[in-house]
Amino acid sequence: MSEIFFHITAAVYLLATLVYSAYLFSRKDRLLTIAQAAMVAGFAFHTVTIIARWAAAGRTPVTSFHESLTFFSWVTVFAFLFLLLKYKQRVLGAFVSPFALLLLITASLLPKEIVPLSPVLESYWLPVHVSLAFLGNSFFALAFLLGVMYIIQERYLKTRKLKGLFFALPSLETLDELNYKCLQYGFPLLTAAIITGAIWSEYATGSYWQWKHRQVWSLITWFLYAALLHGRLTAGWRGRKASILSAIAFACLIGSYFIINILSGGAHGLSR
């Protein structure tokens, strides 16, 4: 059943992406309302997909690459809806919907069979650790997308060609502030994910830290975002510079995520 809802979810996100795209060209508020409703509906179908997969697997559905991409997409849309309720920036959905759809399309190309989790790794720390990690990653993804929006908007202002997307996107100040908020949400979540991951590792293997690829790259990512936040607080890193550094940090995060999952066959190699 999860596969049926998976395809329905992808179709609804595709619809949302198309309607958002139409809004960016026409700037008709009615299209934005329809696209937002499609995102909410897609999230509802996506939630059913996750629950059905969870019931079928008997564990948190994140241990294969297919499952982790599906979960990442779901958490990203959840984080977007949270920002939507709190900050009312509806046009952000025009960048989130294709990102969530791309994750699902990639997941659809991967093996979908349910692989048993190694008994030694079964623990209540699994859902706690992965939920914190993916929620942190989703806020970093949103920070990246806001950085892209900032650079597009800034380009319109620099070239003084005020047309098209310029009138659809928020101001530079709003985009920079939201970028900062996303980093503020994501960093403590990443920190908590690293701590709970160490506790889970000690529970499963008797060691808090084993210098595995995933752990090392998580630490590198943590230092990158720590440096970015420190620069914002002490050196006045704002605007274009903060957007570019946010993109570099996210490229490191998403690159290591894909490479490690491809090499290991699943998050932390848990599906082995």
Side-chain angles (χ1 to χ4, degrees):
M1 188 173 75
S2 66
E3 194 166 344
I4 295 172
F5 281 101
F6 177 94
H7 291 298
I8 293 173
T9 302
V12 177
Y13 285 160
L14 175 60
L15 173 65
T17 299
L18 294 174
V19 179
Y20 272 124
S21 300
Y23 166 77
L24 292 177
F25 285 102
S26 67
R27 298 192 301 281
K28 293 181 179 177
D29 287 343
R30 186 179 178 187
L31 290 176
L32 197 55
T33 302
I34 294 172
Q36 183 178 314
M39 282 296 281
V40 173
F43 179 73
F45 285 120
H46 208 158
T47 303
V48 175
T49 304
I50 297 292
I51 292 173
R53 183 78 178 190
W54 199 317
R59 52 161 173 73
T60 312
V62 292
T63 56
S64 70
F65 200 9
H66 166 80
E67 290 174 347
S68 68
L69 282 171
T70 305
F71 195 79
F72 188 14
S73 174
W74 178 70
V75 177
T76 301
V77 177
F78 170 80
F80 159 67
L81 294 176
F82 168 77
L83 289 186
L84 183 63
L85 285 173
K86 195 169 178 63
Y87 301 104
K88 317 296 182 188
Q89 293 300 327
R90 298 194 297 169
V91 74
L92 176 59
F95 292 77
V96 174
S97 58
F99 180 79
L101 178 62
L102 181 62
L103 291 177
L104 287 188
I105 290 173
T106 307
S108 71
L109 302 175
L110 298 167
K112 303 175 184 61
E113 67 269 17
I114 294 174
V115 180
L117 180 67
S118 171
V120 72
L121 296 174
E122 291 181 359
S123 165
Y124 290 113
W125 286 108
L126 171 61
V128 175
H129 167 65
V130 297
S131 296
L132 290 169
F134 277 108
L135 191 54
N137 290 350
S138 68
F139 278 111
F140 292 142
L142 294 179
F144 162 70
L145 295 172
L146 286 160
V148 172
M149 294 167 71
Y150 183 97
I151 290 172
I152 293 172
Q153 188 71 311
E154 185 193 46
R155 182 170 178 79
Y156 276 112
L157 288 170
K158 280 187 174 180
T159 57
R160 299 185 180 182
K161 295 179 179 177
L162 306 184
K163 60 180 181 180
L165 287 180
F166 174 80
F167 296 103
L169 298 180
S171 68
L172 292 181
E173 291 75 15
T174 299
L175 292 170
D176 189 52
E177 181 64 22
L178 272 180
N179 182 299
Y180 186 35
K181 291 289 183 187
C182 287
L183 295 178
Q184 287 180 311
Y185 290 129
F187 188 71
L189 287 165
L190 174 61
T191 304
I194 291 174
I195 293 171
T196 55
I199 295 172
W200 181 30
S201 175
E202 198 280 336
Y203 173 85
T205 68
S207 173
Y208 285 104
W209 197 266
Q210 301 183 51
W211 295 104
K212 290 187 174 180
H213 292 156
R214 171 71 68 184
Q215 293 172 319
V216 172
W217 277 104
S218 295
L219 200 57
I220 291 172
T221 303
W222 187 90
F223 276 114
L224 285 173
Y225 281 108
L228 178 54
L229 281 170
H230 181 73
R232 272 187 169 270
L233 290 171
T234 63
W237 292 356
R238 295 286 188 276
R240 181 181 181 84
K241 186 173 187 177
S243 296
I244 292 174
L245 291 174
S246 179
I248 292 172
F250 184 68
C252 178
L253 185 155
I254 200 75
S256 61
Y257 168 75
F258 269 85
I259 291 171
I260 291 171
N261 275 287
I262 289 170
L263 293 177
S264 67
H268 296 272
L270 299 180
S271 58
R272 286 180 172 176

